[in-house]
PDB file of all heavy atoms in Angstrom:
ATOM      1  N   ALA A  68      22.302  49.654  44.594  1.00  0.00           N
ATOM      2  CA  ALA A  68      23.597  50.292  44.318  1.00  0.00           C
ATOM      3  C   ALA A  68      24.464  50.181  45.537  1.00  0.00           C
ATOM      4  O   ALA A  68      24.016  49.837  46.646  1.00  0.00           O
ATOM      5  CB  ALA A  68      23.368  51.710  43.895  1.00  0.00           C
ATOM      6  N   ALA A  69      25.721  50.529  45.356  1.00  0.00           N
ATOM      7  CA  ALA A  69      26.683  50.413  46.476  1.00  0.00           C
ATOM      8  C   ALA A  69      27.404  51.747  46.667  1.00  0.00           C
ATOM      9  O   ALA A  69      28.564  51.776  47.145  1.00  0.00           O
ATOM     10  CB  ALA A  69      27.703  49.285  46.191  1.00  0.00           C
ATOM     11  N   ASP A  70      26.824  52.842  46.365  1.00  0.00           N
ATOM     12  CA  ASP A  70      27.460  54.159  46.458  1.00  0.00           C
ATOM     13  C   ASP A  70      28.062  54.340  47.840  1.00  0.00           C
ATOM     14  O   ASP A  70      27.411  54.039  48.845  1.00  0.00           O
ATOM     15  CB  ASP A  70      26.374  55.223  46.134  1.00  0.00           C
ATOM     16  CG  ASP A  70      27.009  56.591  46.039  1.00  0.00           C
ATOM     17  OD1 ASP A  70      27.769  56.755  45.144  1.00  0.00           O
ATOM     18  OD2 ASP A  70      26.591  57.506  46.890  1.00  0.00           O
ATOM     19  N   PRO A  71      29.282  54.814  47.891  1.00  0.00           N
ATOM     20  CA  PRO A  71      30.175  55.368  46.843  1.00  0.00           C
ATOM     21  C   PRO A  71      30.941  54.320  46.058  1.00  0.00           C
ATOM     22  O   PRO A  71      31.753  54.703  45.201  1.00  0.00           O
ATOM     23  CB  PRO A  71      31.126  56.300  47.640  1.00  0.00           C
ATOM     24  CG  PRO A  71      31.264  55.558  48.971  1.00  0.00           C
ATOM     25  CD  PRO A  71      29.929  54.946  49.291  1.00  0.00           C
ATOM     26  N   MET A  72      30.804  53.047  46.434  1.00  0.00           N
ATOM     27  CA  MET A  72      31.461  52.024  45.688  1.00  0.00           C
ATOM     28  C   MET A  72      30.656  51.635  44.438  1.00  0.00           C
ATOM     29  O   MET A  72      29.466  52.000  44.349  1.00  0.00           O
ATOM     30  CB  MET A  72      31.798  50.791  46.556  1.00  0.00           C
ATOM     31  CG  MET A  72      32.628  51.098  47.801  1.00  0.00           C
ATOM     32  SD  MET A  72      33.203  49.632  48.702  1.00  0.00           S
ATOM     33  CE  MET A  72      34.669  49.201  47.724  1.00  0.00           C
ATOM     34  N   GLU A  73      31.248  50.835  43.521  1.00  0.00           N
ATOM     35  CA  GLU A  73      30.563  50.336  42.392  1.00  0.00           C
ATOM     36  C   GLU A  73      30.580  48.773  42.476  1.00  0.00           C
ATOM     37  O   GLU A  73      31.620  48.197  42.749  1.00  0.00           O
ATOM     38  CB  GLU A  73      31.217  50.705  41.100  1.00  0.00           C
ATOM     39  CG  GLU A  73      30.481  50.137  39.877  1.00  0.00           C
ATOM     40  CD  GLU A  73      31.185  50.491  38.554  1.00  0.00           C
ATOM     41  OE1 GLU A  73      32.416  50.660  38.557  1.00  0.00           O
ATOM     42  OE2 GLU A  73      30.506  50.543  37.507  1.00  0.00           O
ATOM     43  N   ILE A  74      29.418  48.213  42.336  1.00  0.00           N
ATOM     44  CA  ILE A  74      29.274  46.725  42.342  1.00  0.00           C
ATOM     45  C   ILE A  74      29.934  46.119  41.072  1.00  0.00           C
ATOM     46  O   ILE A  74      29.629  46.518  39.975  1.00  0.00           O
ATOM     47  CB  ILE A  74      27.814  46.274  42.390  1.00  0.00           C
ATOM     48  CG1 ILE A  74      27.199  46.768  43.716  1.00  0.00           C
ATOM     49  CG2 ILE A  74      27.687  44.760  42.330  1.00  0.00           C
ATOM     50  CD1 ILE A  74      25.668  46.549  43.765  1.00  0.00           C
ATOM     51  N   THR A  75      30.854  45.220  41.293  1.00  0.00           N
ATOM     52  CA  THR A  75      31.601  44.600  40.180  1.00  0.00           C
ATOM     53  C   THR A  75      31.197  43.192  39.846  1.00  0.00           C
ATOM     54  O   THR A  75      31.477  42.681  38.754  1.00  0.00           O
ATOM     55  CB  THR A  75      33.135  44.631  40.440  1.00  0.00           C
ATOM     56  OG1 THR A  75      33.381  44.004  41.677  1.00  0.00           O
ATOM     57  CG2 THR A  75      33.651  46.103  40.509  1.00  0.00           C
ATOM     58  N   SER A  76      30.555  42.531  40.835  1.00  0.00           N
ATOM     59  CA  SER A  76      30.145  41.156  40.652  1.00  0.00           C
ATOM     60  C   SER A  76      29.091  40.805  41.595  1.00  0.00           C
ATOM     61  O   SER A  76      28.885  41.432  42.659  1.00  0.00           O
ATOM     62  CB  SER A  76      31.344  40.174  40.851  1.00  0.00           C
ATOM     63  OG  SER A  76      31.760  40.236  42.152  1.00  0.00           O
ATOM     64  N   ALA A  77      28.275  39.769  41.232  1.00  0.00           N
ATOM     65  CA  ALA A  77      27.138  39.314  42.099  1.00  0.00           C
ATOM     66  C   ALA A  77      26.732  37.965  41.663  1.00  0.00           C
ATOM     67  O   ALA A  77      26.669  37.643  40.444  1.00  0.00           O
ATOM     68  CB  ALA A  77      25.983  40.226  42.015  1.00  0.00           C
ATOM     69  N   THR A  78      26.404  37.056  42.626  1.00  0.00           N
ATOM     70  CA  THR A  78      25.945  35.753  42.295  1.00  0.00           C
ATOM     71  C   THR A  78      25.086  35.220  43.431  1.00  0.00           C
ATOM     72  O   THR A  78      25.302  35.597  44.599  1.00  0.00           O
ATOM     73  CB  THR A  78      27.099  34.789  42.020  1.00  0.00           C
ATOM     74  OG1 THR A  78      26.545  33.568  41.537  1.00  0.00           O
ATOM     75  CG2 THR A  78      27.908  34.497  43.252  1.00  0.00           C
ATOM     76  N   TRP A  79      24.080  34.343  43.093  1.00  0.00           N
ATOM     77  CA  TRP A  79      23.315  33.745  44.159  1.00  0.00           C
ATOM     78  C   TRP A  79      24.115  32.699  44.884  1.00  0.00           C
ATOM     79  O   TRP A  79      24.792  31.915  44.250  1.00  0.00           O
ATOM     80  CB  TRP A  79      22.049  33.052  43.556  1.00  0.00           C
ATOM     81  CG  TRP A  79      21.075  34.002  42.869  1.00  0.00           C
ATOM     82  CD1 TRP A  79      20.916  34.245  41.571  1.00  0.00           C
ATOM     83  CD2 TRP A  79      20.058  34.786  43.568  1.00  0.00           C
ATOM     84  NE1 TRP A  79      19.884  35.148  41.390  1.00  0.00           N
ATOM     85  CE2 TRP A  79      19.358  35.454  42.571  1.00  0.00           C
ATOM     86  CE3 TRP A  79      19.720  34.918  44.921  1.00  0.00           C
ATOM     87  CZ2 TRP A  79      18.305  36.357  42.882  1.00  0.00           C
ATOM     88  CZ3 TRP A  79      18.674  35.810  45.199  1.00  0.00           C
ATOM     89  CH2 TRP A  79      17.979  36.480  44.240  1.00  0.00           C
ATOM     90  N   VAL A  80      24.031  32.675  46.183  1.00  0.00           N
ATOM     91  CA  VAL A  80      24.609  31.607  47.007  1.00  0.00           C
ATOM     92  C   VAL A  80      23.589  30.860  47.764  1.00  0.00           C
ATOM     93  O   VAL A  80      23.848  29.843  48.423  1.00  0.00           O
ATOM     94  CB  VAL A  80      25.732  32.160  47.935  1.00  0.00           C
ATOM     95  CG1 VAL A  80      26.923  32.714  47.088  1.00  0.00           C
ATOM     96  CG2 VAL A  80      25.128  33.282  48.853  1.00  0.00           C
ATOM     97  N   SER A  81      22.333  31.254  47.754  1.00  0.00           N
ATOM     98  CA  SER A  81      21.201  30.538  48.296  1.00  0.00           C
ATOM     99  C   SER A  81      19.964  31.123  47.637  1.00  0.00           C
ATOM    100  O   SER A  81      20.051  31.988  46.794  1.00  0.00           O
ATOM    101  CB  SER A  81      21.155  30.621  49.823  1.00  0.00           C
ATOM    102  OG  SER A  81      20.729  31.913  50.262  1.00  0.00           O
ATOM    103  N   ASP A  82      18.786  30.672  48.027  1.00  0.00           N
ATOM    104  CA  ASP A  82      17.559  31.108  47.503  1.00  0.00           C
ATOM    105  C   ASP A  82      17.362  32.634  47.626  1.00  0.00           C
ATOM    106  O   ASP A  82      16.726  33.299  46.781  1.00  0.00           O
ATOM    107  CB  ASP A  82      16.344  30.403  48.100  1.00  0.00           C
ATOM    108  CG  ASP A  82      16.292  28.914  47.724  1.00  0.00           C
ATOM    109  OD1 ASP A  82      17.044  28.504  46.735  1.00  0.00           O
ATOM    110  OD2 ASP A  82      15.605  28.172  48.346  1.00  0.00           O
ATOM    111  N   THR A  83      17.871  33.154  48.758  1.00  0.00           N
ATOM    112  CA  THR A  83      17.597  34.559  49.054  1.00  0.00           C
ATOM    113  C   THR A  83      18.885  35.335  49.387  1.00  0.00           C
ATOM    114  O   THR A  83      18.799  36.532  49.798  1.00  0.00           O
ATOM    115  CB  THR A  83      16.707  34.678  50.313  1.00  0.00           C
ATOM    116  OG1 THR A  83      17.302  34.047  51.430  1.00  0.00           O
ATOM    117  CG2 THR A  83      15.318  34.021  49.989  1.00  0.00           C
ATOM    118  N   MET A  84      20.076  34.774  49.200  1.00  0.00           N
ATOM    119  CA  MET A  84      21.301  35.471  49.524  1.00  0.00           C
ATOM    120  C   MET A  84      22.208  35.642  48.263  1.00  0.00           C
ATOM    121  O   MET A  84      22.283  34.726  47.467  1.00  0.00           O
ATOM    122  CB  MET A  84      22.072  34.682  50.627  1.00  0.00           C
ATOM    123  CG  MET A  84      21.296  34.461  51.901  1.00  0.00           C
ATOM    124  SD  MET A  84      20.952  36.048  52.793  1.00  0.00           S
ATOM    125  CE  MET A  84      22.586  36.554  53.326  1.00  0.00           C
ATOM    126  N   ILE A  85      22.777  36.781  48.171  1.00  0.00           N
ATOM    127  CA  ILE A  85      23.662  37.129  47.030  1.00  0.00           C
ATOM    128  C   ILE A  85      25.027  37.539  47.597  1.00  0.00           C
ATOM    129  O   ILE A  85      25.109  38.198  48.634  1.00  0.00           O
ATOM    130  CB  ILE A  85      23.088  38.370  46.263  1.00  0.00           C
ATOM    131  CG1 ILE A  85      21.788  37.951  45.580  1.00  0.00           C
ATOM    132  CG2 ILE A  85      24.012  38.849  45.184  1.00  0.00           C
ATOM    133  CD1 ILE A  85      20.929  39.086  45.133  1.00  0.00           C
ATOM    134  N   PHE A  86      26.050  37.060  46.917  1.00  0.00           N
ATOM    135  CA  PHE A  86      27.410  37.420  47.323  1.00  0.00           C
ATOM    136  C   PHE A  86      28.165  38.068  46.119  1.00  0.00           C
ATOM    137  O   PHE A  86      27.911  37.669  44.957  1.00  0.00           O
ATOM    138  CB  PHE A  86      28.212  36.142  47.734  1.00  0.00           C
ATOM    139  CG  PHE A  86      29.642  36.441  48.143  1.00  0.00           C
ATOM    140  CD1 PHE A  86      29.965  36.743  49.473  1.00  0.00           C
ATOM    141  CD2 PHE A  86      30.652  36.337  47.220  1.00  0.00           C
ATOM    142  CE1 PHE A  86      31.274  37.007  49.832  1.00  0.00           C
ATOM    143  CE2 PHE A  86      31.969  36.544  47.563  1.00  0.00           C
ATOM    144  CZ  PHE A  86      32.281  36.876  48.890  1.00  0.00           C
ATOM    145  N   GLY A  87      29.000  39.024  46.385  1.00  0.00           N
ATOM    146  CA  GLY A  87      29.663  39.688  45.312  1.00  0.00           C
ATOM    147  C   GLY A  87      30.701  40.609  45.788  1.00  0.00           C
ATOM    148  O   GLY A  87      31.169  40.652  46.925  1.00  0.00           O
ATOM    149  N   GLY A  88      31.336  41.422  44.835  1.00  0.00           N
ATOM    150  CA  GLY A  88      32.400  42.300  45.108  1.00  0.00           C
ATOM    151  C   GLY A  88      32.113  43.752  44.648  1.00  0.00           C
ATOM    152  O   GLY A  88      31.234  43.967  43.793  1.00  0.00           O
ATOM    153  N   ALA A  89      32.833  44.693  45.200  1.00  0.00           N
ATOM    154  CA  ALA A  89      32.713  46.106  44.818  1.00  0.00           C
ATOM    155  C   ALA A  89      34.024  46.775  44.873  1.00  0.00           C
ATOM    156  O   ALA A  89      35.001  46.272  45.567  1.00  0.00           O
ATOM    157  CB  ALA A  89      31.718  46.779  45.724  1.00  0.00           C
ATOM    158  N   TRP A  90      34.173  47.901  44.168  1.00  0.00           N
ATOM    159  CA  TRP A  90      35.469  48.675  44.208  1.00  0.00           C
ATOM    160  C   TRP A  90      35.160  50.141  44.207  1.00  0.00           C
ATOM    161  O   TRP A  90      34.064  50.625  43.956  1.00  0.00           O
ATOM    162  CB  TRP A  90      36.358  48.299  43.059  1.00  0.00           C
ATOM    163  CG  TRP A  90      35.839  48.622  41.643  1.00  0.00           C
ATOM    164  CD1 TRP A  90      34.843  49.466  41.268  1.00  0.00           C
ATOM    165  CD2 TRP A  90      36.473  48.152  40.455  1.00  0.00           C
ATOM    166  NE1 TRP A  90      34.732  49.517  39.949  1.00  0.00           N
ATOM    167  CE2 TRP A  90      35.679  48.758  39.363  1.00  0.00           C
ATOM    168  CE3 TRP A  90      37.529  47.330  40.133  1.00  0.00           C
ATOM    169  CZ2 TRP A  90      36.003  48.530  38.041  1.00  0.00           C
ATOM    170  CZ3 TRP A  90      37.801  47.138  38.776  1.00  0.00           C
ATOM    171  CH2 TRP A  90      37.070  47.691  37.737  1.00  0.00           C
ATOM    172  N   GLN A  91      36.211  50.864  44.591  1.00  0.00           N
ATOM    173  CA  GLN A  91      36.135  52.321  44.604  1.00  0.00           C
ATOM    174  C   GLN A  91      37.495  52.932  44.437  1.00  0.00           C
ATOM    175  O   GLN A  91      38.488  52.492  45.076  1.00  0.00           O
ATOM    176  CB  GLN A  91      35.551  52.811  45.981  1.00  0.00           C
ATOM    177  CG  GLN A  91      35.459  54.333  46.082  1.00  0.00           C
ATOM    178  CD  GLN A  91      34.941  54.754  47.458  1.00  0.00           C
ATOM    179  OE1 GLN A  91      34.833  53.939  48.355  1.00  0.00           O
ATOM    180  NE2 GLN A  91      34.658  55.999  47.613  1.00  0.00           N
ATOM    181  N   ILE A  92      37.690  53.878  43.525  1.00  0.00           N
ATOM    182  CA  ILE A  92      38.983  54.538  43.334  1.00  0.00           C
ATOM    183  C   ILE A  92      39.237  55.439  44.560  1.00  0.00           C
ATOM    184  O   ILE A  92      38.479  56.274  44.942  1.00  0.00           O
ATOM    185  CB  ILE A  92      38.954  55.422  42.070  1.00  0.00           C
ATOM    186  CG1 ILE A  92      38.880  54.541  40.836  1.00  0.00           C
ATOM    187  CG2 ILE A  92      40.247  56.273  41.975  1.00  0.00           C
ATOM    188  CD1 ILE A  92      38.853  55.296  39.531  1.00  0.00           C
ATOM    189  N   LYS A  93      40.421  55.151  45.199  1.00  0.00           N
ATOM    190  CA  LYS A  93      40.818  55.868  46.453  1.00  0.00           C
ATOM    191  C   LYS A  93      42.144  56.546  46.395  1.00  0.00           C
ATOM    192  O   LYS A  93      42.467  57.389  47.205  1.00  0.00           O
ATOM    193  CB  LYS A  93      40.779  54.885  47.598  1.00  0.00           C
ATOM    194  CG  LYS A  93      39.441  54.287  47.913  1.00  0.00           C
ATOM    195  CD  LYS A  93      38.491  55.216  48.477  1.00  0.00           C
ATOM    196  CE  LYS A  93      38.835  55.587  49.955  1.00  0.00           C
ATOM    197  NZ  LYS A  93      37.829  56.458  50.531  1.00  0.00           N
ATOM    198  N   ARG A  94      42.929  56.209  45.408  1.00  0.00           N
ATOM    199  CA  ARG A  94      44.278  56.756  45.261  1.00  0.00           C
ATOM    200  C   ARG A  94      44.492  57.366  43.864  1.00  0.00           C
ATOM    201  O   ARG A  94      43.876  56.946  42.910  1.00  0.00           O
ATOM    202  CB  ARG A  94      45.361  55.753  45.524  1.00  0.00           C
ATOM    203  CG  ARG A  94      45.432  55.304  46.997  1.00  0.00           C
ATOM    204  CD  ARG A  94      46.238  54.078  47.217  1.00  0.00           C
ATOM    205  NE  ARG A  94      45.675  52.889  46.636  1.00  0.00           N
ATOM    206  CZ  ARG A  94      44.688  52.160  47.227  1.00  0.00           C
ATOM    207  NH1 ARG A  94      44.201  52.616  48.401  1.00  0.00           N
ATOM    208  NH2 ARG A  94      44.188  51.140  46.682  1.00  0.00           N
ATOM    209  N   GLU A  95      45.269  58.365  43.753  1.00  0.00           N
ATOM    210  CA  GLU A  95      45.466  59.085  42.519  1.00  0.00           C
ATOM    211  C   GLU A  95      46.488  58.389  41.584  1.00  0.00           C
ATOM    212  O   GLU A  95      46.489  58.689  40.362  1.00  0.00           O
ATOM    213  CB  GLU A  95      45.909  60.518  42.722  1.00  0.00           C
ATOM    214  CG  GLU A  95      44.793  61.423  43.392  1.00  0.00           C
ATOM    215  CD  GLU A  95      45.242  62.858  43.475  1.00  0.00           C
ATOM    216  OE1 GLU A  95      46.412  63.137  43.043  1.00  0.00           O
ATOM    217  OE2 GLU A  95      44.458  63.621  43.990  1.00  0.00           O
ATOM    218  N   SER A  96      47.341  57.541  42.091  1.00  0.00           N
ATOM    219  CA  SER A  96      48.345  56.891  41.272  1.00  0.00           C
ATOM    220  C   SER A  96      48.703  55.526  41.804  1.00  0.00           C
ATOM    221  O   SER A  96      48.429  55.225  42.912  1.00  0.00           O
ATOM    222  CB  SER A  96      49.588  57.750  41.136  1.00  0.00           C
ATOM    223  OG  SER A  96      50.145  57.923  42.464  1.00  0.00           O
ATOM    224  N   VAL A  97      49.292  54.702  40.933  1.00  0.00           N
ATOM    225  CA  VAL A  97      49.738  53.395  41.274  1.00  0.00           C
ATOM    226  C   VAL A  97      51.125  53.547  41.985  1.00  0.00           C
ATOM    227  O   VAL A  97      52.010  54.205  41.462  1.00  0.00           O
ATOM    228  CB  VAL A  97      49.887  52.502  40.034  1.00  0.00           C
ATOM    229  CG1 VAL A  97      50.557  51.208  40.400  1.00  0.00           C
ATOM    230  CG2 VAL A  97      48.541  52.225  39.448  1.00  0.00           C
ATOM    231  N   ARG A  98      51.245  52.939  43.139  1.00  0.00           N
ATOM    232  CA  ARG A  98      52.445  53.099  43.917  1.00  0.00           C
ATOM    233  C   ARG A  98      53.563  52.172  43.592  1.00  0.00           C
ATOM    234  O   ARG A  98      54.700  52.466  43.837  1.00  0.00           O
ATOM    235  CB  ARG A  98      52.090  53.014  45.401  1.00  0.00           C
ATOM    236  CG  ARG A  98      51.094  54.070  45.884  1.00  0.00           C
ATOM    237  CD  ARG A  98      50.500  53.734  47.224  1.00  0.00           C
ATOM    238  NE  ARG A  98      49.709  52.494  47.186  1.00  0.00           N
ATOM    239  CZ  ARG A  98      48.924  52.058  48.175  1.00  0.00           C
ATOM    240  NH1 ARG A  98      48.888  52.811  49.334  1.00  0.00           N
ATOM    241  NH2 ARG A  98      48.215  50.919  48.081  1.00  0.00           N
ATOM    242  N   ARG A  99      53.211  50.948  43.064  1.00  0.00           N
ATOM    243  CA  ARG A  99      54.291  49.945  42.821  1.00  0.00           C
ATOM    244  C   ARG A  99      53.609  48.909  41.948  1.00  0.00           C
ATOM    245  O   ARG A  99      52.444  48.908  41.649  1.00  0.00           O
ATOM    246  CB  ARG A  99      54.729  49.318  44.135  1.00  0.00           C
ATOM    247  CG  ARG A  99      53.622  48.643  44.933  1.00  0.00           C
ATOM    248  CD  ARG A  99      54.135  48.153  46.293  1.00  0.00           C
ATOM    249  NE  ARG A  99      53.004  47.680  47.069  1.00  0.00           N
ATOM    250  CZ  ARG A  99      52.227  48.394  47.833  1.00  0.00           C
ATOM    251  NH1 ARG A  99      52.451  49.726  47.939  1.00  0.00           N
ATOM    252  NH2 ARG A  99      51.212  47.875  48.530  1.00  0.00           N
TER     253      ARG A  99
END
């Protein structure tokens, strides 16, 4: 897990390495 973030993607980039992305809500509203 990636607490406090949430894992949004993951993929193998070698036999033993994984690359991906994560996100976390940090603001209460959209600014623009």
Side-chain angles (χ1 to χ4, degrees):
D70 189 59
M72 303 190 83
E73 180 184 28
I74 296 171
T75 56
S76 63
T78 187
W79 294 101
V80 291
S81 74
D82 292 345
T83 60
M84 301 296 290
I85 295 166
F86 180 88
W90 65 13
Q91 180 184 8
I92 294 178
K93 296 291 288 187
R94 290 168 291 281
E95 292 186 359
S96 61
V97 173
R98 298 166 294 189
R99 58 187 175 274

